[in-house]
Every structure is written in structure tokens, then in C-alpha cells.
């Protein structure tokens, strides 16, 4: 199952599995001894040459949480690469000459590729992709539009896909499949099918380039630089649109885990503090020996939650995810009020009420709330002063205050006095900061000064945020 130049595992197949499990752990996939034993049984039960069965069997044995599959698949490609035969299943790579080391004829190769994509021959398309990577990587390419560095041999997925340009074959393939009696619906379904086939071909090219690079540089090095980050470990401030969308899909599973942890904490903490008076009374019947201690009855608290969040710039992604998480945990609080700010502060609780449509909610916040006074740049001091002037009555002795933001004031007055007033009015107050702690106090960051007023927690990822929120939830 290993590639032609991959080193043999020191302890055979069991050692190879242990290495694979260690790689999963290094990339944040929690795999315990029980899961590893289950995976070993999968290896013993399945045909190792049936690669997709092996992939699904190991995934079912090793993965326990959503959001881990992309990481698993990327590492599986490196530790269990496909077995490459001598041929390409009847698919030949056209060359500009009869010599084996002659450059690849890209124009002829694109014609072959278009035919396979049109016919939907998945196996042959995958074999063509892998064979094309090997041929272009060792002999280079020649053809229409191929010049300069693109014509030179080299292992680069960007170069390969630039040379082959499979996405430009879409119109030609659709013309070959079109029929006179096609309806608009049929044409659209066919278009999507062909696009999916092209995307699958591009994915196979990237996987093959990654596999061959791993053979040259080592699996660990390639895994370290190319394995996708799990959604709950992605940095809020640097996450791309795809990662943020995946993060939003993890909100409800994360909320369910937090709620179950809270229920367990409540069960463990069912007893209250020792009631000394009642304990002494009971001990009178046993000669003063407290055989039957009495405890005060706990009154589980469901405090009010007030959230004050910066919705400007890249911090908006962090604020959005945190608000979605709190919305999913609303039953843990007796009341939730949400205030957004940029330069001014305005209440936006109505946008996050149960049943509200949360699609595009941050755009609605920016559009409908009165947040800008001058230039639209974050002004924490003015926003805190605005809150104290118009909304301070939202904070009561039952309230927990959460401030969401990076604390970057654009070199304006941080208004610590207003923040002290807010913290004093609430029962609890905490600040969640999406920046790395090492950056607090650099540039225009007033995070250290704010951290002296109320506890500040680093929350760069959903994983960190969940840990902090779990610690702050009422018991």
C-alpha cells in the first residue's frame, strides 16, 4: 500500500498503523488505544488492495467527531497511497515524439481527458491524472500556450493544472453531450455532473503531486505544511471563507457537547456547601459525632448574559461565531442581550432571538444598527462610554458580561473608567480576545490595560472558545 520509494515501516503493518495514528494525533485528531485496536482489526479484516474500503474502515474506527474527515483523508493519502501499476488501464500519455522521455503533448492529452470526462470513466480519469503527473513531472510539456516554466519538468499541482486547464473543457464536453430534446433542467444537471468530474480530476492531480512530494521530502514534512486545519482549530482572524462556513456548521454539535459537559458538572456538584447548624443538630442523636452531614440545597443559577461585541473588520468572524454559539446555548441563561459596537454601541438582541434567520445576520447588524460616528474604525473608548450612557441598566447583580474583541483602539482613548463601571455593575465580567496573547500590547492594542480591569481570555480558535465558555457557564 506504500508508494514505490516510501521507506518500509520498521515494525511492518502494525508499526505503519501506529505511525499513522501518531500523525492524526499531531494534527488534533484525538485517537485513543481503543480506537487504535479497532483500526488494527480493520486492517486484519479488509483487503489492503481495496483502498476505498480501507479508507472508510479506518475512518469509522478512528474518527469520533465531526470536522475531522478532511484531516484524516489528507493524512490517509500520505500513509496509504495508491498502488501504481505499470500501465494506466489502457490510457496512454501522448508524447511529442516516440521517446519515453519526450515532453508530453498537452493538446492531445487534453483531447483524451475531454473524452474520459465526457464518458464519466472515473477509474480511467484517475489513472490518467496520476500518469500525467508522472510524465509532466519528469519530461515536461509542450503544446498550445505552454511556454516558459510551465514547459519544464517539475512537481507542482499549480503548474500541472495550469498546463492542462481542465476547467476550460467544460463547454466542449457539454456540446458533445447535448441533445435536441434536452430541457433546461437536464442541461443544468449535466453541467453540474461534468463540473464535479473536473473537480475530481483536479483533486486527484493535487493528491498525486502531494504523494510524490512526500516520497522525496518525507511524509512528516509534507503533512506538516499541507494537511488542512480542522475547523475548530482554525484561527478566527486568519480563517478563509470556507473555514468560516465550516465553523458555522460546527456550532450546534459544539453547543450540544458543552451542554452535556455542563449537565455532568451539575450532577457532580449536586450537593451544596456543608450546613454546619443542621449537621450539629443531627449529631446530637449520635453523641456529637457527625455521622450524617447536612448540606445546603443548591439553587442552580441561570444568570442573565450581556454580550458586547466588536463587529468591525476581521474580528466580525469571531464575534459572529461566538454569538451563534451563545444563541445555541440560550437555555443555559435566563436572558441574553446582545450589543454590537464599532464606534458607537447599539442593541441588536432582536436579530438573535430564537427562530430568527441567522443567515447574513452580521450584514444586517452592520446595515441596521447605529454603529458608526466618524470613520467606521473601532473606537473602544467611545463605544464603552456610549454603553454606559445609554445601556448601563442592562447590567444587574445577576448579569454576566462578555466583551468580544481584540482591544485594538486605533490609538484612541481606551476609556478604562467606563469599562470599570460596566464590570462593577455586573456579577461577573470577562473579555474574550481572538488575538494570540503574545500580540497583546503590540501596536495599538490596549489588551494589557483592559486585562487589568477584567479577566481576558485568549480565544483564537473554536476549540479554545469552547474551553473558555465551558468554564464560564453557570453550574
Amino acid at each position: 500500500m506504500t508508494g514505490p520509494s516510501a521507506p518500509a515501516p520498521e515494525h511492518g503493518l502494525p508499526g505503519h498503523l501506529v505511525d499513522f495514528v501518531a500523525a492524526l494525533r499531531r494534527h488534533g485528531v484525538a485517537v485513543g488505544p481503543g480506537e487504535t485496536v479497532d483500526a488494527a482489526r480493520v486492517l486484519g479484516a479488509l483487503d489492503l488492495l481495496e483502498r476505498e474500503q480501507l479508507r472508510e474502515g479506518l475512518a469509522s474506527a478512528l474518527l469520533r467527531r465531526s470536522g475531522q474527515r478532511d484531516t484524516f483523508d489528507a493524512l490517509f493519502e500520505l500513509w496509504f497511497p495508491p498502488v501504481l501499476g505499470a500501465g494506466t488501464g489502457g490510457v496512454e500519455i501522448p508524447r511529442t515524439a516516440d521517446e519515453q522521455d519526450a515532453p508530453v503533448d498537452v493538446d492531445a492529452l487534453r483531447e483524451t481527458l475531454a473524452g474520459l470526462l465526457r464518458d464519466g470513466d472515473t477509474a480511467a480519469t484517475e489513472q490518467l491524472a496520476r500518469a500525467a503527473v508522472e510524465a509532466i513531472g519528469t519530461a515536461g510539456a509542450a503544446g498550445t500556450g505552454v511556454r516558459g516554466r510551465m514547459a519544464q519538468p517539475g512537481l507542482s499541482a499549480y503548474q500541472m493544472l495550469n498546463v492542462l486547464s481542465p476547467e476550460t473543457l467544460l463547454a466542449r464536453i457539454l456540446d458533445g453531450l447535448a441533445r435536441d430534446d434536452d430541457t433546461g433542467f437536464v442541461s443544468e444537471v449535466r453541467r453540474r455532473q461534468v463540473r464535479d468530474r473536473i473537480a475530481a480530476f483536479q483533486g486527484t492531480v493535487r493528491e498525486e503531486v502531494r504523494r510524490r512530494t512526500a516520497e522525496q521530502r518525507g511524509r512528516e514534512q509534507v503533512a506538516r505544511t499541507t494537511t488542512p486545519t480542522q475547523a475548530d482549530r482554525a484561527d478566527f482572524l486568519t480563517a478563509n471563507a470556507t473555514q468560516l462556513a465550516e465553523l458555522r456548521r460546527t456550532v450546534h454539535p459544539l453547543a450540544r457537547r458543552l451542554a452535556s459537559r455542563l449537565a455532568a458538572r451539575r450532577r457532580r456538584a449536586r450537593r451544596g456547601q456543608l450546613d454546619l447548624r443542621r449537621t450539629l443538630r443531627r449529631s446530637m442523636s449520635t453523641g456529637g459525632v457527625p455521622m450524617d452531614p447536612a448540606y445546603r440545597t443548591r439553587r442552580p443559577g441561570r444568570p442573565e448574559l450581556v454580550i458586547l461585541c466588536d463587529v468591525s473588520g476581521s474580528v466580525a468572524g469571531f464575534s459572529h461565531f461566538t454569538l451563534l454559539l451563545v444563541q445555541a446555548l440560550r437555555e443555559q441563561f435566563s436572558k441574553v442581550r446582545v450589543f454590537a459596537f464599532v464606534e458607537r454601541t447599539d442593541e441588536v438582541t432582536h436579530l438573535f432571538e430564537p427562530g430568527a434567520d441567522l443567515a447574513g445576520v452580521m450584514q444586517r447588524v452592520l446595515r441596521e444598527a447605529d454603529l458608526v460616528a466618524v470613520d467606521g474604525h473601532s473606537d473602544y473608548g467611545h463605544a464603552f462610554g456610549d454603553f454606559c450612557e445609554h445601556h448601563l441598566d442592562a447590567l444587574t447583580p445577576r448579569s454576566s458580561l462578555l466583551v468580544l474583541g481584540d482591544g485594538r483602539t486605533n490609538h484612541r482613548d481606551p476609556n478604562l473608567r467606563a469599562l470599570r463601571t460596566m464590570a462593577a455593575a455586573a456579577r461577573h465580567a470577562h473579555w474574550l480576545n481572538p488575538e494570540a496573547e503574545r500580540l497583546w500590547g503590540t501596536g495599538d492594542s490596549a489588551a494589557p490595560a483592559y486585562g487589568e480591569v477584567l479577566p481576558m481570555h485568549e480565544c483564537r480558535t473554536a476549540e479554545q472558545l469552547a474551553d473558555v465558555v465551558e468554564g464560564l457557564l453557570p453550574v
Side-chain angles (χ1 to χ4, degrees):
M1 187 58 63
T2 56
S5 60
E10 182 179 355
H11 300 290
L13 191 56
H16 191 69
L17 175 62
V18 170
D19 288 345
F20 178 56
V21 168
L24 288 172
R25 290 172 177 162
R26 285 194 296 271
H27 288 83
V29 180
V31 181
E35 287 85 2
T36 306
V37 171
D38 290 343
R41 290 172 177 162
V42 168
L43 290 181
L46 295 180
D47 183 350
L48 299 185
L49 297 179
E50 294 294 336
R51 189 164 174 265
E52 290 309 309
Q53 291 184 14
L54 180 63
R55 182 198 301 268
E56 298 305 319
L58 289 178
S60 65
L62 295 172
L63 303 184
R64 290 293 179 268
R65 287 174 50 185
S66 61
Q68 298 177 335
R69 186 57 191 258
D70 288 346
T71 301
F72 172 87
D73 285 339
L75 294 173
F76 181 87
E77 291 295 331
L78 294 177
W79 263 258
F80 297 91
V83 176
L84 300 181
T88 58
V91 176
E92 296 293 335
I93 299 298
R95 308 266 183 171
T96 56
D98 292 338
E99 293 82 2
Q100 185 63 25
D101 59 351
V104 173
D105 185 342
V106 171
D107 296 329
L109 179 58
R110 280 168 50 83
E111 289 295 330
T112 303
L113 175 60
L116 294 177
L117 293 173
R118 182 187 62 244
D119 298 338
D121 191 338
T122 303
T125 304
E126 288 184 358
Q127 290 173 339
L128 179 67
R130 300 188 190 282
V133 168
E134 179 179 11
I136 296 175
T138 56
T144 304
V146 180
R147 60 178 63 89
R149 294 186 62 182
M150 289 196 302
Q152 302 300 316
L155 279 178
S156 165
Y158 175 80
Q159 174 186 343
M160 304 279 180
L161 294 175
N162 234 8
V163 166
L164 297 174
S165 300
E167 67 280 356
T168 63
L169 299 173
L170 178 63
R172 186 191 311 179
I173 296 170
L174 292 176
D175 287 343
L177 293 172
R179 297 179 181 178
D180 294 337
D181 58 347
D182 283 346
T183 63
F185 176 76
V186 170
S187 298
E188 180 60 24
V189 170
R190 185 178 295 128
R191 178 184 296 274
R192 295 189 181 190
Q193 287 178 336
V194 175
R195 280 179 175 168
D196 289 344
R197 294 171 190 171
I198 292 174
F201 173 81
Q202 293 171 322
T204 303
V205 169
R206 294 189 184 98
E207 289 173 4
E208 183 64 10
V209 169
R210 192 164 172 264
R211 183 188 69 80
R212 291 180 177 275
T213 304
E215 290 178 355
Q216 296 177 358
R217 301 181 183 176
R219 283 191 297 252
E220 287 75 11
Q221 180 178 346
V222 173
R224 202 162 44 242
T225 57
T226 64
T227 300
T229 303
Q230 292 179 57
D232 63 352
R233 296 166 67 89
D235 195 312
F236 286 117
L237 299 185
T238 59
N240 55 39
T242 301
Q243 288 174 320
L244 288 176
E246 180 62 30
L247 266 176
R248 287 191 285 273
R249 286 193 288 271
T250 67
V251 165
H252 288 287
L254 179 58
R256 286 195 296 271
R257 287 203 302 274
L258 289 177
S260 65
R261 291 177 190 172
L262 179 60
R265 282 169 52 195
R266 283 177 171 163
R267 285 194 298 270
R268 290 195 300 268
R270 186 172 298 166
R271 286 180 172 179
Q273 293 180 344
L274 180 70
D275 189 327
L276 184 60
R277 185 187 298 266
R278 291 172 57 206
T279 299
L280 291 176
R281 284 177 181 170
R282 290 182 181 181
S283 67
M284 293 177 67
S285 63
T286 57
V289 180
M291 300 293 292
D292 185 16
Y295 297 89
R296 292 189 178 93
T297 302
R298 286 186 58 88
R299 293 184 175 87
R302 295 181 64 229
E304 300 171 359
L305 181 64
V306 176
I307 303 177
L308 182 60
C309 57
D310 184 357
V311 294
S312 65
S314 59
V315 183
F318 163 66
S319 296
H320 187 194
F321 180 81
T322 306
L323 290 173
L324 293 179
L325 179 60
V326 169
Q327 204 268 355
L329 289 168
R330 289 186 73 99
E331 64 183 22
Q332 307 298 333
F333 304 94
S334 60
K335 182 190 295 185
V336 176
R337 296 183 68 178
V338 181
F339 297 85
F341 72 87
V342 177
E343 293 175 280
R344 290 176 176 162
T345 301
D346 198 5
E347 184 167 9
V348 293
T349 303
H350 63 285
L351 298 178
F352 293 90
E353 291 291 346
D357 182 11
L358 299 181
V361 67
M362 296 307 284
Q363 286 72 23
R364 289 191 62 193
V365 168
L366 294 172
R367 185 171 61 250
E368 300 176 16
D370 181 16
L371 306 177
V372 178
V374 181
D375 56 9
H377 294 131
S378 295
D379 188 341
Y380 280 74
H382 190 277
F384 291 161
D386 201 25
F387 182 91
C388 288
E389 183 178 353
H390 298 104
H391 309 289
L392 190 60
D393 59 347
L395 296 174
T396 71
R398 286 179 50 83
S399 299
S400 292
L401 171 65
L402 285 186
V403 181
L404 314 180
D406 58 8
R408 293 197 172 272
T409 63
N410 289 299
H411 300 289
R412 297 168 176 172
D413 177 18
N415 200 351
L416 299 178
R417 181 178 180 181
L419 185 62
R420 290 191 185 97
T421 300
M422 294 156 56
R427 182 178 182 182
H428 304 290
H430 297 269
W431 188 306
L432 309 186
N433 193 327
E435 274 198 338
E437 187 171 354
R438 68 179 184 278
L439 300 177
W440 298 355
T442 62
D444 60 346
S445 172
Y450 287 138
E452 294 177 358
V453 179
L454 71 172
M456 184 170 290
H457 309 273
E458 179 188 291
C459 294
R460 290 189 300 114
T461 67
E463 186 178 47
Q464 284 183 316
L465 177 64
D467 292 339
V468 170
V469 170
E470 180 186 0
L472 301 182
L473 283 174
V475 179

